[in-house]
Amino acid sequence: MSITYLEAIREAQARALAEDPRVFIYGQDVGAFGGAFKATKGLAQEFPGRVIDAPISEDAIVGLAVGAAIEGMRPIVEIQFADFSTVAFNQIVNQAATFFWRTNLPCPITVRLPCGGTLGSGPFHSQTMESVYAHYPGLIVLTPATVEDAYSMLLEAVAIDDPVIFCEHKLLYYHLKAETLPTEALPVGRARIAREGRHLTLVAYSAMVHEALAAADELKTEGWDIEVVDLRSVKPLDTDTVMASVARTGRLLCVGESWPWGGVTAEVITRVASEGFALLDAPPARLNAKDTPVPFHPNLWAAHRPTARSIAAAARKLLRQ
Amino acid sequence: MVQTVLDSGRVSDLSAIRGVYLKAFRIMLLARLLEEKLASLYRAGKMHGGVFIGRGQEALSVSIGLSLREGDIFAPLIRDQAGRLAFGEPLLDAVRTYFGSVLGPMRGRDGNVHRGRPRQGLLPMISHLGAMIAVVNGALLARRLKGIQGTVGVASVGDGATSTGAFHEALNQAAVERLPLVLVIANNQYAYSTPNSRQFACASLLDRARGYGVEGHGVDGTDLIECLRVVGQAIARARAGHGPQMVVAELLRLCGHGEHDPADYVDPQLKNSRLGRDCLKVAEEFLLEHGWADATSLAEWREETQRTVEEAIAQVQREPTPDPFKESWVALSSRHLCETHEEEVPNPGADI
Ligand SMILES: Cc1ncc(C[n+]2csc(CCOP(=O)(O)OP(=O)(O)O)c2C)c(N)n1
């Protein structure tokens, strides 16, 4: 048997629906159609009445989920593309994110965001939103990079008593495969060493983990052993694992697909620089997408986002310092 | 333009409309053949990203473009190839944007239906549904502030977009400001896979017009002559100062949501109903019936149009694609305020 990242997301939702009567799924085209990406394929048939098609009303979709969560339900919302979650931004950051803090009543919603660039998708179907949501207090932001994490972290997201922004990367949907679904997993909030090394720590998350691993392969041929840390969850951020890795390597390069101003990579570097300055043998560096909207044409898109090649180039520069 | 030959209410003299009808038909045919070509290139794996076509919606769309004048505003949506051509968008704009040619209006930065020429009143849609309506309102308000009179703006949306907050906010805004906005809703019965029964619960989308204090007009979107008449009338009323107008056209999307979508969820009963008629065929039959064209001229037009399409595609395929080395990579017009990001390593030519 082999299972894709997308199927793992479907399976996690099937299991959540089967095991917890409080769970329901709400989103555009998620019912009989099975979702724009087929992440809810067959679930409406399997769980009648609990996989509900929504009108094109993102603000109301998330607002409804918050209301249902107040009543003790565990809604999973699918936003058709992460980019459209901006329409629900108010309900996510002002309603869901503030709710527990204001009332002492938890707000356990899971918002699934199909994220990230794919070929020819252009500025409105390619965005990565983790840095924006991570900025707000009251939200948990997950960015699984593997089939196993897609499965186990989605299940954990549903179980968590707080609003979770679940960033699933569209580029991984069909191509990333695992033999089986995991039976155990690292908990949310813990990063993972995806590859051990001693010369440089490459911190990445979501699809960038795979670019980072490919860059590490390339650098291996030049004699460099690169350690790759997969953050898994960007909020909470596992500073300890990153710091321990930097303690071993003395060099840090942090890679993210979102824009360069602020964001996850800036946060990682700030923490290492302020709490682990003495561990560093060279200034910490980061690599992000370019500071423009995500371009449509593949030539531009491939240059806009970090790739194995540009990561390796940035790492070489850092290794020479 | 259409209104001068279509008196408000009914078509009084068919011969007076002949010229407009024929023009509309030729544009519909061009839109159809262009989109069929793009769809076949998509199936052959030759396109970047998706292809989204307006099959079955050409009669409605072309009526918008032909009823507008130079100086008006048009915010088309994904199924408005015919309306764009009728409004004056060059055929090459469509092809160049699909192929990402640097010579196109979007220079490879944005693609497919996400294109426009804002200086000519053709607004470039973003994907977020409902978002263009308020922008048309703004353009119209600006004209009022500048003392420009007699222009109108059309925003095109689908049934699904009527569920967005943006739609309701913008419609109310236009009504409060009494702007010359014409909101054309192509009620093609589905929003992606979602049927109208899961989208809204009012008996007719025209109820939305009444609710906001806006004039509403219903039309059979499969019938070109009706579309020309009703869209023309709504635009004329907006131009004459009667405030925002809403047109709701009943039709069926005769294609998938995009070309990736086989659309097997569409109810066969709808396909076989009047809604499922192909407006291009209906128009062809009308032409033959009234002796405005014969089989030979129809075949000639088709052949000629097909050639036009093939030539445009061949031309654009030879045009340069964007070069990341030459790309400026700035998103602000105030260049002196653009930041440079030191950590950026030049990264063109990455393997795709
Ligand atoms: C705010 C927002 N949410 C979701 C989408 C994804 N989406 C793109 S087109 C579409 C269906 C649109 O249906 P409708 O408005 O009826 O237009 P049609 O495609 O039928 O012409 C959806 C859900 C979007 N573009 N914008």
Side-chain angles (χ1 to χ4, degrees):
Chain A
M1 193 189 109
S2 103
I3 183 157
T4 64
Y5 183 92
L6 179 66
E7 286 160 352
I9 288 165
R10 189 230 172 248
E11 291 311 311
Q13 293 179 100
R15 184 167 158 193
L17 284 162
E19 291 180 351
D20 188 342
R22 300 171 301 172
V23 173
F24 71 99
I25 297 177
Y26 192 46
Q28 292 150 17
D29 304 292
V30 296
F33 189 60
F37 296 99
K38 298 288 169 242
T40 57
K41 190 176 172 187
L43 296 179
Q45 292 82 348
E46 217 173 303
F47 302 96
R50 295 171 64 198
V51 185
I52 306 169
D53 279 326
I56 304 177
S57 310
E58 283 80 5
D59 180 281
I61 289 171
V62 175
L64 180 147
V66 171
I70 292 170
E71 286 291 307
M73 302 296 280
R74 298 262 156 177
I76 302 174
V77 160
E78 175 178 302
I79 300 287
Q80 202 156 76
F81 284 81
D83 313 57
F84 303 131
S85 73
T86 51
V87 181
F89 197 65
N90 185 40
Q91 296 288 4
I92 295 173
V93 306
N94 290 321
Q95 192 85 266
T98 66
F99 200 82
F100 172 71
W101 180 80
R102 289 165 58 233
T103 65
N104 213 31
L105 182 68
C107 181
I109 68 170
T110 300
V111 181
R112 289 184 37 240
L113 302 184
C115 287
T118 48
L119 271 187
S121 293
F124 312 112
H125 289 79
S126 301
Q127 294 171 33
T128 49
M129 310 286 294
E130 67 283 347
S131 292
V132 173
Y133 290 116
H135 187 68
Y136 278 83
L139 298 174
I140 287 169
V141 184
L142 307 182
T143 51
T146 65
V147 177
E148 292 82 355
D149 277 351
Y151 180 77
S152 62
M153 289 168 80
L154 182 50
L155 278 170
E156 200 176 342
V158 176
I160 287 174
D161 277 342
D162 287 293
V164 177
I165 307 299
F166 191 81
C167 305
E168 40 195 65
H169 203 293
K170 302 191 294 285
L171 205 58
L172 307 179
Y173 270 167
Y174 310 102
H175 303 303
L176 202 60
K177 293 194 175 107
E179 280 311 303
T180 53
L181 290 172
T183 48
E184 54 185 31
L186 279 179
V188 158
R190 288 277 305 283
R192 172 180 74 100
I193 306 291
R195 175 190 177 114
E196 288 183 6
R198 59 204 163 93
H199 295 128
L200 178 144
T201 297
L202 201 45
V203 172
Y205 58 96
S206 189
M208 283 298 138
V209 169
H210 303 281
E211 298 293 336
L213 288 169
D217 280 345
E218 191 177 321
L219 291 162
K220 178 78 187 164
T221 64
E222 299 160 25
W224 300 111
D225 281 335
I226 307 298
E227 180 144 301
V228 177
V229 177
D230 171 7
L231 290 177
R232 300 176 72 243
S233 137
V234 302
K235 192 173 192 177
L237 188 65
D238 181 358
T239 315
D240 290 350
T241 298
V242 174
M243 212 73 84
S245 174
V246 175
R248 288 190 287 277
T249 65
R251 283 180 165 74
L252 171 66
L253 172 62
C254 191
V255 184
E257 189 177 328
S258 57
W259 290 298
W261 200 99
V264 176
T265 56
E267 184 63 27
V268 169
I269 289 193
T270 303
R271 291 187 189 196
V272 172
S274 58
E275 295 162 39
F277 192 72
L279 305 174
L280 288 163
D281 297 329
R286 67 196 186 110
L287 189 62
N288 282 95
K290 292 192 197 299
D291 197 22
T292 71
V294 186
F296 163 77
H297 195 279
N299 290 356
L300 298 180
W301 177 67
H304 181 264
R305 68 197 275 273
T307 58
R309 188 179 290 190
S310 66
I311 295 169
R316 266 183 219 109
K317 199 171 139 195
L318 190 55
L319 285 160
R320 281 195 299 265
Q321 285 180 13
Chain B
M1 170 207 277
V2 172
Q3 205 50 31
T4 54
V5 290
L6 288 175
D7 86 358
S8 57
R10 77 212 143 77
V11 180
S12 50
D13 177 8
L14 269 186
S15 63
I17 197 187
R18 186 168 186 256
V20 178
Y21 195 98
L22 285 170
K23 186 172 181 193
F25 178 80
R26 299 289 296 265
I27 294 171
M28 288 166 67
L29 186 62
L30 178 54
R32 175 68 61 90
L33 295 183
L34 169 66
E35 292 193 329
E36 280 179 358
K37 178 72 187 178
L38 293 170
S40 85
L41 288 166
Y42 173 84
R43 285 190 293 275
K46 300 222 164 98
M47 305 300 285
H48 311 302
V51 169
F52 302 88
I53 68 174
R55 192 182 182 87
Q57 302 190 190
E58 293 93 339
L60 175 68
S61 186
V62 80
S63 302
I64 299 170
L66 288 181
S67 306
L68 289 171
R69 300 176 185 153
E70 213 179 304
D72 287 338
I73 310 282
F74 182 27
L77 230 66
I78 49 179
R79 313 207 190 277
D80 276 316
Q81 180 57 47
R84 287 169 176 276
L85 289 167
F87 187 63
E89 182 186 75
L91 171 66
L92 284 174
D93 276 17
V95 182
R96 285 175 166 152
T97 307
Y98 263 104
F99 282 88
S101 162
V102 287
L103 304 181
M106 311 311 280
R107 299 163 292 164
R109 292 181 180 183
D110 210 342
N112 50 59
V113 290
H114 302 85
R115 63 179 192 268
R117 291 181 176 260
R119 286 192 175 81
Q120 279 85 49
L122 186 63
L123 299 183
M125 61 175 278
I126 66 167
S127 301
H128 296 58
L129 295 166
M132 299 312 294
I133 309 167
V135 179
V136 175
N137 289 348
L140 296 172
L141 185 75
R143 296 210 169 159
R144 177 184 291 167
L145 295 174
K146 291 192 284 188
I148 299 170
Q149 285 176 348
T151 62
V152 301
V154 171
S156 206
V157 295
D159 42 90
T162 68
S163 302
T164 61
F167 171 94
H168 291 269
E169 292 181 21
L171 185 53
N172 183 58
Q173 179 181 63
V176 167
E177 288 297 341
R178 238 182 125 63
L179 293 169
L181 168 76
V182 181
L183 191 51
V184 178
I185 304 176
N187 181 12
N188 65 13
Q189 318 300 318
Y190 287 86
Y192 208 153
S193 77
T194 304
N196 284 352
S197 59
R198 296 295 308 164
Q199 198 66 247
F200 51 85
C202 47
S204 160
L205 284 173
L206 285 170
D207 296 350
R208 299 257 192 267
R210 206 171 314 131
Y212 287 104
V214 162
E215 291 181 17
H217 315 257
V219 64
D220 173 354
T222 66
D223 184 341
L224 175 57
I225 211 154
E226 277 300 292
C227 288
L228 285 168
R229 180 177 70 79
V230 174
V231 172
Q233 183 187 342
I235 288 177
R237 284 194 65 75
R239 209 184 293 285
H242 298 284
Q245 310 285 314
M246 180 191 286
V247 175
V248 178
E250 299 295 330
L251 35 65
L252 189 65
R253 197 185 71 209
L254 302 182
C255 50
H257 171 62
E259 287 309 291
H260 59 278
D261 172 24
D264 40 19
Y265 46 78
V266 174
D267 181 351
Q269 269 188 341
L270 281 178
K271 287 190 199 167
N272 297 324
S273 74
R274 187 180 168 89
L275 285 175
R277 301 193 304 171
D278 177 350
C279 61
L280 192 67
K281 282 226 179 71
V282 174
E284 246 175 42
E285 280 156 20
F286 183 96
L287 288 174
L288 293 170
E289 195 183 308
H290 289 81
W292 292 357
D294 57 21
T296 320
S297 49
L298 285 179
E300 275 170 16
W301 292 345
R302 189 168 270 271
E303 216 172 285
E304 199 180 296
T305 309
Q306 191 68 47
R307 257 201 317 277
T308 306
V309 167
E310 299 292 341
E311 278 164 17
I313 304 261
Q315 176 183 336
V316 171
Q317 279 178 326
R318 288 191 302 267
E319 288 176 359
T321 51
D323 178 349
F325 282 112
K326 292 191 184 138
E327 182 69 18
S328 65
W329 298 111
V330 297
L332 291 177
S333 62
S334 319
R335 288 207 165 224
H336 63 293
L337 298 180
C338 285
E339 297 178 311
T340 51
H341 293 273
E342 211 253 309
E343 67 283 2
E344 262 174 30
V345 177
N347 174 33
D351 301 318
I352 301 158

